[in-house]
């Protein structure tokens, strides 16, 4: 069996088109501000892609680029201005931040109703307690991919490999909210392959190139690979050994072209939702 490929590019393009259609009916342009501190090259690419995608769907989007020497107080000042600006609906502070700035302090300073990344502790708490709020973009994108792939979630055994605040934890909460039976596995889990083999839905966000091998996958599983790892030769690979896994899974996301494109589309979706909620 060779797995069906879950085409993240196509699902993301469809979502962006639906967002653009809704923006066209609003009578105003949702405002997104992306704050970038320093000149980390990978962050530069992400920020440019976010800005481009936001403009394409009709948002009022701008990037605020601050020098690597910016202090925490200066960054908090910029965040406070954006919080107070009525034209701004979504704020995103691109991570990682330079070492003199504490990311958790900055994340907590973003107004929760403008928290386009969904990282504010209030939004994390809302997600964990089943209340509506802004949800982190990557796991939200995974839920769209699962829906598009036709996966039946209620009652399904879902395993999430990784427990970061950005991906693993919110992913597990979203799957739980969708009535899956959820297991979270991590670096202290005793028998990772055995835990993963129990999964009907396996979401991997571990940051280790091709760590999940084919024999960790149950026949017929749906495999979502969040990992993006660049090898020494420049090739991009996921956290799952793709060819081996595709021989056992029923459906699988490729890297690139799987979860990656969904993250930006969901950032746009969050900003649109934030705009509609704020301006109603
Ligand atoms: P983190 O490094 O924050 O978290 C990794 C998690 O994996 C941790 O919970 C860690 O466990 C666990 N882990 C690490 N090594 C092992 C191991 N050997 N065995 C078992 N568990 C392990 O990463 P992120 O969640 O931020 O990102 C994960 C991956 O997803 C990365 O490849 C990243 O590039 C990618 N990513 C992709 C995005 C996209 O848009 N597609 C967006 C965000 C991330 P413990 O907690 O015990 O240390």
């Amino acid at each position: 069996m060779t797995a069906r490929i879950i085409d993240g590019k196509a699902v993301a393009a469809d979502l962006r088109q639906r967002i653009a259609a809704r923006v066209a009916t609003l009578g105003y342009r949702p405002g997104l501000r992306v704050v970038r501190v320093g000149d980390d090259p990978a962050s530069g690419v992400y920020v440019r892609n976010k800005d481009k995608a936001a403009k394409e769907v009709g948002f009022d989007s701008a990037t605020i680029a601050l020098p690597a020497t910016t202090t925490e107080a200066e960054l908090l000042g910029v965040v406070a201005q954006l919080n107070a600006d009525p034209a701004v609906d979504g704020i995103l502070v691109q991570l990682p931040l330079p070492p003199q700035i504490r990311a958790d302090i900055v994340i907590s300073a973003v107004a929760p109703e403008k928290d386009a990344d969904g990282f504010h502790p209030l939004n994390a708490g809302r997600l964990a307690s089943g209340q509506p709020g802004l949800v982190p973009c990557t796991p939200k994108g995974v839920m769209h991919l699962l829906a598009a792939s036709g996966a039946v979630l209620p009652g399904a055994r879902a395993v999430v490999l990784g427990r970061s605040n950005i991906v693993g934890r919110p992913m597990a909460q979203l799957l739980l909210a969708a009535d899956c039976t959820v297991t979270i596995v991590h670096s202290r889990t005793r028998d990772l392959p055995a835990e993963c083999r129990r999964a009907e839905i396996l979401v991997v966000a571990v940051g280790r190139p091709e760590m999940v091998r084919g024999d960790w996958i149950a026949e017929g599983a749906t495999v979502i690979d969040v990992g993006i790892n660049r090898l020494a030769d420049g090739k991009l690979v996921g956290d799952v050994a793709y060819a081996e896994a595709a021989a056992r899974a029923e459906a699988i996301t490729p890297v690139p072209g799987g979860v990656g494109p969904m993250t930006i589309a969901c950032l746009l979706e969050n900003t649109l939702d934030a705009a509609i909620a704020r301006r109603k």
Side-chain angles (χ1 to χ4, degrees), residues 138 163-164 167 186-187 192 205-208 211 226-229 263:
T138 300
R163 55 174 166 178
S164 72
V167 190
H186 47 77
S187 67
L192 274 178
V206 77
R208 312 256 170 212
M211 187 177 103
V226 179
I228 304 179
N229 309 286
T263 298

Side-chain angles (χ1 to χ4, degrees), residues 76 79 83 90-93 105-116 120 123:
L76 290 173
V79 169
N83 285 344
I91 302 168
L92 183 158
V93 181
I105 300 289
V106 176
I107 288 168
S108 298
V110 173
E113 70 277 11
K114 297 188 178 187
D115 174 32
H120 191 288
N123 283 317

Side-chain angles (χ1 to χ4, degrees), residues 46 137-139 161-169 184-189 192 204-209 211 216 225-229 237-239 258-264:
Y46 289 139
C137 302
T138 300
L161 174 43
R163 55 174 166 178
S164 72
N165 287 339
I166 294 174
V167 190
R169 279 171 207 259
I184 307 173
V185 296
H186 47 77
S187 67
R188 305 296 296 271
T189 296
L192 274 178
V204 183
V206 77
R208 312 256 170 212
M211 187 177 103
W216 297 29
D225 187 353
V226 179
I228 304 179
N229 309 286
V237 297
D239 292 344
V259 176
M262 294 306 298
T263 298
I264 291 184

